[in-house]
Amino acid sequence: MRITLNRKALPISILIMVMIVQIPLMKSIRILQYLDEGWTVVSLVYLFVIIVMERRLEKEMYASIWIIMILTGIGILGNIIWEIQTGVAAILTDIGNMFKTYITLYAGVTYMNHMEEEDKRALLQYVNTFCCIIVTPGFFLAIVNLFVNIHMHTEYVNGMRAFHYIFNRVGNLNMSCVIMLMIETAWMNYLTLEERKTQRIFVFMTLMLMLSTLRSRAYGFFVVYVLGYLIFVYGRSATLKATALLAIPGISLAFGVQKFAYYFGQDRTARGVLFRYGVQTAKSYFPIGAGFSTYGTYAARKYYSPLYYKYNFENVWGLSQGMGDFLTDDYWPAVMGEFGFFGAILMVVLIALMFVKVIRETGDYPACRFAGLYGLICMIISSMVSASFFHTMSVVLSLTIAVCIVSRKNMEDMVTFDSRL
């Protein structure tokens, strides 16, 4: 596999590479902790310029922008009416974190659709090579971790070390593996049948690296990937593909709901408390919610929302001001608390529009389509028990979705996927 230098693709490919390993790098390069926020601002400015210049948007992007504007208005109205949080810095921080996933995706797709096909190919090729370089030593270290303590584990699960590699936490490694699987899958769009055999080795190593975290979410991601690959990429049956449209979301939700029931069915756990009072906040501040930076988000933790004192979170382990590690370990409770039940419905529509965007962009390219859908499905599974759409890695994940779904071969050069894949 020969790699050539493409000056147009190299800068954004380096950005994605750095973002994939952003969390471990932040310990030594502190400025990188602002990389996702900085890229969100750049993406927002770019979208604004495109809107002003072209004055024409695709339907799902147009609808998404309107929903974001409505939700922003609802949130600010909540801040004005209830006056729980009035700090401008806190509110702006929350607005950025709340919508960065969607802004990054649409800006990324718009920008890359203006690139030449050879630039898109080079971009995907660079990042795929980087992913293979990261995965290979990780795969072998995960095996060593089973037998020797190499100090790359988070905890013990059933007597086995939960491997986190260089990513500090198993959750970070899981999402990094999701991103790398997306890249590796989309790159197959450009490979011959012989080249795909080698590529599948790296896919296998990435899947094993994911399973080494010993997390139920990782098992769910694994099952979704294997089924999706076999049906959407490997398979040719229209019936199988139609079945998968029902089966894969069902299986995904089963894994997410199982963890959801475990954590939120017990009010004494931090996540259970967050969920219960997220619903309570939506009820108490009906119909618009409590406003930005008031519940369940990073800004609400950083500025320690007055609601947390009201709910006596100081006496809940993991939710106090001094040790609030779990204050941001949620997504839907935060959405309900800050926007109310109607706002939560709008957020569901916003996520659904991302699926529509992926499907519209990918057309007859099954590898690209599955890569994009896989990233979204994994984020939804994670949102059941974590702040997946708020997380630092949500920006690189949405940017990766954009790369995957616009990296398409010209139809006359397209390689047909068949049973020899």
Side-chain angles (χ1 to χ4, degrees), residues 171 174-175 177-178 181 207 210-211 215-227 255 370 374 377-382:
N174 272 334
M175 294 313 297
C177 286
V178 168
L181 283 170
L207 287 169
M210 176 186 288
L211 290 179
R215 284 294 186 270
S216 59
R217 254 178 291 171
Y219 305 147
F221 296 164
F222 175 86
V223 171
V224 170
Y225 183 87
V226 172
L227 286 178
F255 278 95
F370 174 60
Y374 181 66
I377 289 171
C378 288
M379 288 189 76
I380 291 174
I381 293 175
S382 295

Side-chain angles (χ1 to χ4, degrees), residues 128-138 165 202:
N128 175 73
T129 302
F130 176 78
C131 291
C132 294
I133 292 172
I134 291 291
V135 164
T136 303
Y165 193 19
F202 292 107

Side-chain angles (χ1 to χ4, degrees), residues 100-402:
K100 62 185 180 182
T101 301
Y102 316 100
I103 291 170
T104 304
L105 173 65
Y106 290 120
V109 171
T110 303
Y111 175 77
M112 280 176 265
N113 271 334
H114 285 82
M115 294 173 65
E116 298 294 330
E117 290 301 321
E118 63 184 60
D119 300 328
K120 299 175 188 177
R121 177 188 176 123
L123 169 58
L124 191 59
Q125 183 180 22
Y126 294 154
V127 181
N128 175 73
T129 302
F130 176 78
C131 291
C132 294
I133 292 172
I134 291 291
V135 164
T136 303
F139 171 75
F140 291 104
L141 286 171
I143 296 174
V144 174
N145 177 70
L146 294 174
F147 306 98
V148 181
N149 184 2
I150 56 176
H151 305 288
M152 284 188 171
H153 68 278
T154 299
E155 60 189 7
Y156 286 86
V157 178
N158 297 323
M160 301 174 66
R161 299 181 188 91
F163 189 58
H164 64 226
Y165 193 19
I166 60 173
F167 293 91
N168 304 332
R169 295 180 59 187
V170 291
N172 298 333
L173 176 56
N174 272 334
M175 294 313 297
S176 296
C177 286
V178 168
I179 293 168
M180 291 187 287
L181 283 170
M182 291 163 59
I183 293 292
E184 292 162 359
T185 304
W187 178 237
M188 287 187 180
N189 183 59
Y190 293 101
L191 302 181
T192 64
L193 293 175
E194 281 300 314
E195 289 172 332
R196 289 178 195 149
K197 293 179 181 178
T198 301
Q199 184 71 357
R200 288 200 300 273
I201 295 174
F202 292 107
V203 169
F204 171 78
M205 289 194 292
T206 308
L207 287 169
M208 294 302 102
L209 187 58
M210 176 186 288
L211 290 179
S212 71
T213 64
L214 305 180
R215 284 294 186 270
S216 59
R217 254 178 291 171
Y219 305 147
F221 296 164
F222 175 86
V223 171
V224 170
Y225 183 87
V226 172
L227 286 178
Y229 182 88
L230 290 176
I231 295 172
F232 285 101
V233 182
Y234 182 83
R236 292 177 294 172
S237 168
T239 302
L240 280 176
K241 292 182 179 182
T243 303
L245 289 174
L246 298 175
I248 292 179
I251 293 171
S252 306
L253 288 175
F255 278 95
V257 170
Q258 180 185 22
K259 297 298 289 183
F260 184 88
Y262 172 77
Y263 287 117
F264 302 127
Q266 306 176 53
D267 286 345
R268 290 174 295 179
T269 66
R271 283 171 173 159
V273 171
L274 278 173
F275 176 73
R276 179 157 58 95
Y277 280 102
V279 175
Q280 180 60 48
T281 303
K283 291 179 179 178
S284 300
Y285 299 95
F286 184 84
I288 59 174
F292 286 112
S293 189
T294 57
Y295 194 84
T297 61
Y298 167 76
R301 172 187 175 179
K302 181 178 180 179
Y303 299 95
Y304 209 73
S305 171
L307 287 180
Y308 296 163
Y309 292 110
K310 178 181 178 180
Y311 298 149
N312 202 29
F313 280 8
E314 277 291 320
N315 295 323
V316 179
W317 187 82
L319 301 182
S320 64
Q321 187 171 11
M323 193 186 75
D325 294 346
F326 297 128
L327 279 170
T328 56
D329 214 4
D330 69 327
Y331 178 69
W332 294 108
V335 170
M336 289 187 292
E338 296 196 349
F339 300 130
F341 298 120
F342 176 69
I345 294 173
L346 287 179
M347 195 65 77
V348 170
V349 175
L350 195 58
I351 293 173
L353 288 171
M354 294 174 73
F355 278 89
V356 174
K357 182 65 174 175
V358 170
I359 293 171
R360 278 171 56 92
E361 286 285 338
T362 48
D364 296 321
Y365 301 87
C368 296
R369 172 169 292 184
F370 174 60
L373 292 178
Y374 181 66
L376 289 178
I377 289 171
C378 288
M379 288 189 76
I380 291 174
I381 293 175
S382 295
S383 74
M384 298 290 181
V385 293
S386 70
S388 61
F389 288 92
F390 299 149
H391 196 273
T392 298
M393 297 198 73
S394 66
V395 171
V396 64
L397 196 147
S398 60
L399 185 57
T400 301
I401 292 174

